[in-house]
Amino acid sequence: MSGTSKAGSEKARHDSSAERFSEQERAAMKARATELRAAARGGRGAKKAAADEAAVLSAIAAMAEPDRALAERVHAVVTAAAPELAPRLWYGQPAYAKAGKVVCFFRSGQADKERYSSLGFSVEANLDEDDGMWPTAYALTELTEAGEAAIRRLVQKAVR
């Protein structure tokens, strides 16, 4: 007979999975679970859209500088370039969805303990290139006028 009890093996399994995910990854998973619960009990239409945008703006306001300034500018550019995209949280970070599916998102570098933030695009984004290769994420350390113009073009292409 094995000396390992059922409770002991469950604890070992739990401990080993806890070692596989970083603190940031676990926080993102918890944030996503909270988002899904809120969506399940949330309203519909304009009320839900307003609540989702308020949650995005609150998440941006909670970011430390310089990520807050970057996220504010990205938010302004994305919402102006593609007003059909609905702001919402995705893994606790600002994202923009079309028909309920995330098209692009902002990731705070400080939240991820990285040296830069990023603007990423999901598989829902229409960015495919004929040569079969295209970028799906961009590092952001600052946002110049040229950078804003590039984001505007990418977002408009992504929603076509």
Side-chain angles (χ1 to χ4, degrees):
M1 278 216 311
S2 169
T4 306
S5 69
K6 183 177 179 181
S9 65
E10 285 178 21
K11 182 180 180 337
R13 226 184 359 249
H14 175 71
D15 289 346
S16 64
S17 68
E19 292 171 6
R20 289 186 209 141
F21 296 107
S22 71
E23 182 180 325
Q24 294 81 18
E25 289 168 328
R26 286 191 301 276
M29 288 185 283
K30 286 179 184 178
R32 183 68 181 135
T34 301
E35 293 160 14
L36 291 172
R37 283 191 299 275
R41 70 175 175 268
R44 294 183 183 262
K47 184 177 178 182
K48 181 180 180 334
D52 286 347
E53 183 160 21
V56 166
L57 294 174
S58 177
I60 291 171
M63 290 178 189
E65 289 295 345
D67 286 356
R68 181 183 319 131
L70 276 173
E72 287 170 348
R73 290 182 69 192
V74 166
H75 179 77
V77 171
V78 170
T79 55
E84 65 270 32
L85 292 179
R88 61 180 270 198
L89 289 178
W90 196 48
Y91 294 94
Q93 298 287 314
Y96 306 87
K98 183 176 180 179
K101 299 193 180 213
V102 170
V103 174
C104 62
F105 54 91
F106 177 86
R107 294 288 310 164
S108 166
Q110 290 180 352
D112 291 338
K113 296 187 178 180
E114 298 289 339
R115 65 182 181 91
Y116 55 82
S117 295
S118 60
L119 174 67
F121 292 88
S122 74
V123 296
E124 300 301 322
N126 185 26
L127 295 176
D128 301 26
E129 294 289 339
D130 291 336
D131 63 5
M133 186 173 104
W134 59 90
T136 59
Y138 296 83
L140 299 174
T141 57
E142 64 178 295
L143 202 49
T144 64
E145 286 184 29
E148 286 184 11
I151 291 171
R152 196 174 305 108
R153 283 190 304 275
L154 284 165
V155 168
Q156 289 169 340
K157 182 178 180 182
V159 298
R160 275 192 240 138

